[in-house]
Amino acid sequence: MTKNFYITTPIYYPSAKPHMGHAYSSIVSDVIARFKRLDGYKVEFLTGTDEHGLKIQRAAEEKSIDPKIFCDEISKTFRNLSNTLNLSNTDFIRTTEDRHIKSVQNLWKILEEKNQIYLSKYSGWYSVSDEAFYNEDEIKEENGINISINSGSKVEWLEEESYFFKLSAWENKLLKFYEENPKFILPNSRRNEVISFVKSGLKDLSVSRKTFSWGIKVPNNKDHVIYVWLDALTNYISALNYPDTKNLKYKSFWPADIHMIGKDILRFHAIYWPAFLLAADLTPPKRVYGHGWILSGEEKMSKSKGNILDPLEIVDKYGLDPLRFYLLKEVSFGNDGSITQDKLESCINSDLANNYGNLCQRVISFNEKNCNLIIPEKNNFEKEDLNLLNKISDNINSLRSYIDNQELSSYTNFIVDRLFDANKYFNDQEPWKKKSDIMRLNTIVYVSLEIIRKISILLNPIIPETSLKVLEVFNLKLKDINFESIINHESLKSNSKIKKIDILFKKIEKND
Ligand code: ME8
């Protein structure tokens, strides 16, 4: 039976070009998608752009461009970023596509039929930047401007006719759902935040707007457009051909295994989205993971501070795999983390060049000099050999569980530790002193090559390009590798040829 797995990134606002925060969400999702594929799953991996709403309409107006043309342009930069980041996404959705509009209008009709939506009047605070409504106690005045306490963005007073979703009716059902699905929201700290917000009482949610037009029309009342978050969240099922819930794609992939998001949009995903779905008799996703914030140095990225990190610039300067590796290794997953040039350069030098690069280089050059680029015959494994090899194979299920619980830092640190072990093994075994005991020398080389193979498989989801370069040494391509094979200590065929390898990561000269 095929095992299916569905992971999504947020769909990003094409109001400005992508920055490092967007790249981060997409890269961590890609790591999980690639791991699951390696582990035999059929993976659907969705990303895209969220193109409606006042925020986009205003951004287009500022440039005096039609909003659709404006979105066409910037959405393209997000699509290109997926290529630059080597994302393995299987789909890219835009909320201006027909498949999505049909899906949202259908969901709306079902909510109306089920008596979950009613027409009334909204008066309250709204942030266009967050596209979110805020309660009186969630805003404050700063320098004569009203802002959201949480996001710091400006809020405006809004009074207009609006449709409402009966969110208040879902309070207890949501709490029950969180209790029955303790891992629905991760990490736990964020789950607690959501639960206490819901416990403090939910008000009905305004789900349409009348004073602007850039959105999906409410069926049967063309004066209203559907609230951009009800529109946006539905993308996750539009991409599976909703409303056709009988089609193979929907049946195979819904409910989603993970919606990967940043902590800023947790409330929408962990409260509104399951409420909409439950109200429409659809199953909520299995997991919403709210990761932390990428800071530029120690500060939040912002246009006014001029410290927005551009992923393209970093990739241009340092390469993609170093950036991917850095984000996984140096940001404790779930928490905020920062990028500085200095830390990135140190990470490239120590973990990639000195640890992984050096291991591959020295073992393969030693093989070249002593075994003519042939995988040698091995003798029986000794205790040290098995210690090294078993540390990976004995942990196969912990590694799976790290990924399944999104403990991405544990996964990455495990690999870094194995790289240290492997370098230490090669040093301690001193094969260069074993020329008189060729059987032992051969076994050490065999074990070292095996460990390079295993570690490269573990690294593949994080640094796909470089790890494949290394696996190419053994003539292995992506289609030939799978996660389960890290158990096997004798996967490499003795007497077969291996290839030489170029320097994997250049060390960076630092000024300190
Ligand atoms: O909120 N650090 O889109 P958006 C880490 N369209 N991640 C960051 C980040 C940072 N500094 N800045 C942004 C929206 N992100 C909606 C989503 S989903 C149905 C609709 C990431 O363009 C993070 O994942 O503002 C955050 O949640 C997302 O980008 C917000 O992107």
Side-chain angles (χ1 to χ4, degrees):
M1 212 181 83
T2 42
K3 305 181 284 181
N4 296 320
F5 187 83
Y6 182 30
I7 182 164
T8 64
T9 73
I11 48 169
Y12 307 111
Y13 290 126
S15 48
K17 64 182 181 134
H19 61 63
M20 189 54 81
H22 302 128
Y24 182 65
S25 298
S26 293
I27 288 172
V28 294
S29 305
D30 187 54
V31 170
I32 297 171
R34 285 179 181 273
F35 177 93
K36 294 305 273 189
R37 254 181 230 120
L38 267 188
D39 204 17
Y41 285 73
K42 184 164 179 342
V43 174
E44 188 67 20
F45 172 21
L46 177 70
T47 186
T49 42
D50 179 3
E51 308 191 359
H52 292 127
L54 197 49
K55 181 182 170 107
I56 303 290
Q57 180 171 314
R58 285 190 184 162
E61 275 164 8
E62 256 175 46
K63 299 225 148 80
S64 312
I65 308 180
D66 169 77
K68 177 63 171 46
I69 296 172
F70 176 79
C71 289
D72 287 347
E73 280 289 299
I74 305 190
S75 179
K76 233 184 266 162
T77 65
F78 278 91
R79 207 185 273 265
N80 292 344
L81 184 72
S82 300
N83 294 332
T84 311
L85 299 178
N86 198 3
L87 301 186
S88 61
N89 58 300
T90 48
D91 198 351
F92 185 100
I93 194 162
R94 299 182 55 189
T95 54
T96 45
E97 287 174 56
D98 285 345
R99 59 171 171 165
H100 176 70
I101 295 169
K102 184 172 110 191
S103 158
V104 172
Q105 288 184 326
N106 192 84
L107 181 62
W108 179 282
K109 278 190 207 143
I110 290 184
L111 292 174
E112 244 182 351
E113 274 163 29
K114 293 190 182 288
N115 202 20
Q116 298 290 330
I117 286 179
Y118 63 93
L119 189 62
S120 181
K121 192 173 167 212
Y122 179 80
S123 56
W125 296 104
Y126 191 75
S127 155
V128 176
S129 167
D130 304 343
E131 296 283 20
F133 301 96
Y134 288 113
N135 297 330
E136 200 66 47
D137 59 358
E138 292 177 298
I139 67 147
K140 65 174 181 188
E141 204 189 300
E142 214 174 79
N143 305 326
I145 301 173
N146 291 309
I147 59 168
S148 145
I149 296 174
N150 199 24
S151 69
S153 61
K154 187 176 148 220
V155 294
E156 314 174 0
W157 185 255
L158 210 75
E159 260 185 48
E160 65 186 45
E161 183 187 77
S162 169
Y163 284 92
F164 282 80
F165 170 72
K166 291 182 181 165
L167 186 62
S168 57
W170 291 92
E171 199 177 301
N172 289 330
K173 285 173 221 158
L174 282 172
L175 290 170
K176 184 161 169 271
F177 176 74
Y178 303 144
E179 190 163 328
E180 285 167 357
N181 299 280
K183 289 187 172 182
F184 171 63
I185 305 166
L186 283 183
N188 266 326
S189 54
R190 306 225 201 283
R191 167 184 152 83
N192 298 336
E193 267 168 44
V194 168
I195 291 178
S196 55
F197 183 81
V198 174
K199 278 190 177 155
S200 74
L202 293 177
K203 291 204 292 195
D204 288 351
L205 179 70
S206 162
V207 284
S208 76
R209 299 289 311 272
K210 212 181 162 183
T211 46
F212 68 92
S213 58
W214 180 237
I216 299 178
K217 299 264 180 284
V218 165
N220 306 323
N221 188 347
K222 306 283 183 246
D223 293 341
H224 286 251
V225 295
I226 295 175
Y227 174 40
V228 64
W229 272 101
L230 173 51
D231 167 343
L233 289 161
T234 308
N235 91 88
Y236 301 130
I237 51 176
S238 308
L240 303 181
N241 304 327
Y242 179 81
D244 175 9
T245 53
K246 301 268 181 308
N247 86 88
L248 188 62
K249 208 166 176 191
Y250 188 92
K251 285 202 306 202
S252 309
F253 293 109
W254 194 257
D257 292 273
I258 308 175
H259 291 322
M260 181 61 72
I261 57 166
K263 60 183 181 180
D264 55 326
I265 54 175
L266 192 61
R267 201 181 281 184
F268 306 97
H269 283 80
I271 302 175
Y272 303 168
W273 182 224
F276 296 150
L277 289 166
L278 288 168
D281 264 338
L282 297 169
T283 318
K286 293 184 205 156
R287 167 89 33 92
V288 171
Y289 192 100
H291 66 64
W293 226 227
I294 297 293
L295 307 171
S296 171
E298 297 311 317
E299 290 187 322
K300 210 174 155 176
M301 285 184 262
S302 82
K303 263 193 208 154
S304 54
K305 286 193 190 120
N307 62 352
I308 305 235
L309 293 165
D310 180 347
L312 297 179
E313 275 174 24
I314 298 190
V315 170
D316 260 0
K317 183 159 180 199
Y318 296 103
L320 172 64
D321 279 352
L323 171 65
R324 292 178 59 115
F325 186 85
Y326 177 90
L327 292 173
L328 270 289
K329 162 90 190 328
E330 297 298 324
V331 180
S332 158
F333 195 62
N335 300 320
D336 293 351
S338 72
I339 300 196
T340 64
Q341 188 163 317
D342 184 52
K343 283 203 282 181
L344 177 57
E345 291 179 354
S346 301
C347 172
I348 294 173
N349 286 349
S350 61
D351 293 306
L352 294 177
N354 284 349
N355 215 351
Y356 185 42
N358 187 39
L359 175 73
C360 298
Q361 213 67 52
R362 66 201 294 215
V363 170
I364 292 162
S365 352
F366 184 85
N367 177 302
E368 185 181 4
K369 285 196 198 100
N370 298 278
C371 317
N372 291 320
L373 290 173
I374 302 275
I375 299 174
E377 298 267 359
K378 61 168 198 61
N379 202 348
N380 291 337
F381 289 136
E382 291 189 1
K383 197 169 123 240
E384 293 75 15
D385 310 335
L386 285 170
N387 275 348
L388 180 75
L389 296 165
N390 286 341
K391 258 198 203 156
I392 292 185
S393 49
D394 286 352
N395 281 298
I396 184 160
N397 285 326
S398 316
L399 287 160
R400 284 191 172 116
S401 116
Y402 291 154
I403 297 289
D404 287 340
N405 292 304
Q406 292 78 56
E407 293 170 19
L408 300 186
S409 296
S410 306
Y411 180 83
T412 313
N413 290 331
F414 177 89
I415 303 174
V416 173
D417 289 346
R418 299 296 74 77
L419 281 168
F420 278 114
D421 293 347
N423 273 307
K424 181 168 186 319
Y425 168 88
F426 201 70
N427 281 343
D428 292 353
Q429 293 304 310
E430 302 180 311
W432 48 90
K433 291 191 184 160
K434 302 276 167 21
K435 299 213 169 140
S436 56
D437 180 358
I438 201 72
M439 287 301 271
R440 183 61 199 148
L441 180 148
N442 282 348
T443 307
I444 297 166
V445 173
Y446 187 92
V447 168
S448 304
L449 291 172
E450 256 302 337
I451 207 78
I452 289 175
R453 181 190 69 87
K454 286 174 201 269
I455 291 178
S456 299
I457 290 176
L458 294 181
L459 277 171
N460 180 259
I462 305 177
I463 47 171
E465 204 181 315
T466 315
S467 63
L468 282 180
K469 232 190 242 173
V470 176
L471 289 163
E472 260 291 303
V473 165
F474 311 115
N475 292 306
L476 293 169
K477 305 239 181 318
L478 186 60
K479 64 176 176 35
D480 307 318
I481 58 169
N482 66 72
F483 180 63
E484 191 79 26
S485 77
I486 62 165
I487 293 182
N488 188 352
H489 298 337
E490 299 175 41
S491 161
L492 294 174
K493 275 208 193 72
S494 296
N495 300 317
S496 52
K497 233 149 143 80
I498 61 170
K499 292 180 187 144
K500 281 206 245 188
I501 194 167
D502 290 335
I503 298 213
L504 296 177
F505 302 96
K506 282 207 187 76
K507 273 185 90 162
I508 296 166
E509 293 292 334
K510 294 183 69 176
N511 299 327
D512 47 31

